[in-house]
Amino acid sequence: MQVTFLGTGTSMGVPIAGGYGRELMKGDPRDERYRCSAWVQHNNKSILIDVGPEFRLQSLRSGLTEVDLLLLTHQHTDHIGGLDDLRPFNYIQKSEIPVITTPECEKSIRRRFYYMFEPEKTPGSVDLSFQPQKESYNWFGLNIVPLPVYHGEMKVYGFRINDFSYITDVNYIPEETKEKIKGSKVMVLSGLRWDPKHPTHYTIPEAVEIADELGVDQTWLVHMSVYVNHSETNKQLPSHVQLAYDQLSITVD
Ligand SMILES: [Zn+2]
């Protein structure tokens, strides 16, 4: 299984609109971050996790040409704002795109993107097929387990795909979800900034604590703010918890 980080930035991206924050970046391309998304490839199938506002640009630079399954963590715009750009994949694949997400996210998408759904469906708009809620799914020979976690008051999903667990936008993981994550070889977790604490995201020290508690071999942090410098931060982190960066590609056996 190959995992490519399509974006690793916080909700506003890095630098943010207007170019603010660029002065902090010191020329390292790893400090430029599109909104969070990941591309999982397995047996010539492509699974997309979240489809943010930069999805078109992310697909072009990474070479993503198919979306066979879409996993959505939650309904915030930085995670679903690129839904319209899935249209070419419907045309080319001549099929609807299956979606696994929370019931709340499905409801929000049906409201916000009303023109994609009956009876108001605009011809040529995206064809999505929301999958029924299940404890686990089997797609393309992969075991996919939704991981309910909390993003402030909001219940969102992370996803475990075989031994890879992806959890973004989180500041609390219930015990029963921790049990589902344990045994993963690789985990992705949000680490917004060093401090202060945030009401809806783990800080970097909190993410390190969770990584240690769960005993995952390697944890990659995402959803970093403009104040997190890639190389300086990684030097201060243990080797089993490091910042991911856009276009990083890893293999998970
Ligand atoms: Zn969010």
Side-chain angles (χ1 to χ4, degrees), residues 74 76 78-79 151 169:
H74 66 300
H76 283 159
D78 52 323
H79 297 262
H151 179 30
D169 290 39

Side-chain angles (χ1 to χ4, degrees), residues 106-130:
E106 176 181 347
K107 209 167 139 191
S108 173
I109 288 171
R110 288 183 182 278
R111 191 168 62 241
R112 288 173 63 183
F113 299 89
Y114 65 92
Y115 52 88
M116 295 178 185
F117 303 97
E118 297 291 350
E120 301 93 348
K121 188 170 174 64
T122 301
S125 57
V126 176
D127 282 320
L128 301 175
S129 155
F130 289 101

Side-chain angles (χ1 to χ4, degrees), residues 11 73-79 151 154 156 168-170 200-201 223:
S11 60
T73 59
H74 66 300
Q75 59 270 36
H76 283 159
T77 299
D78 52 323
H79 297 262
H151 179 30
M154 184 188 274
V156 307
T168 183
D169 290 39
V170 56
T200 63
H201 290 279
H223 214 287

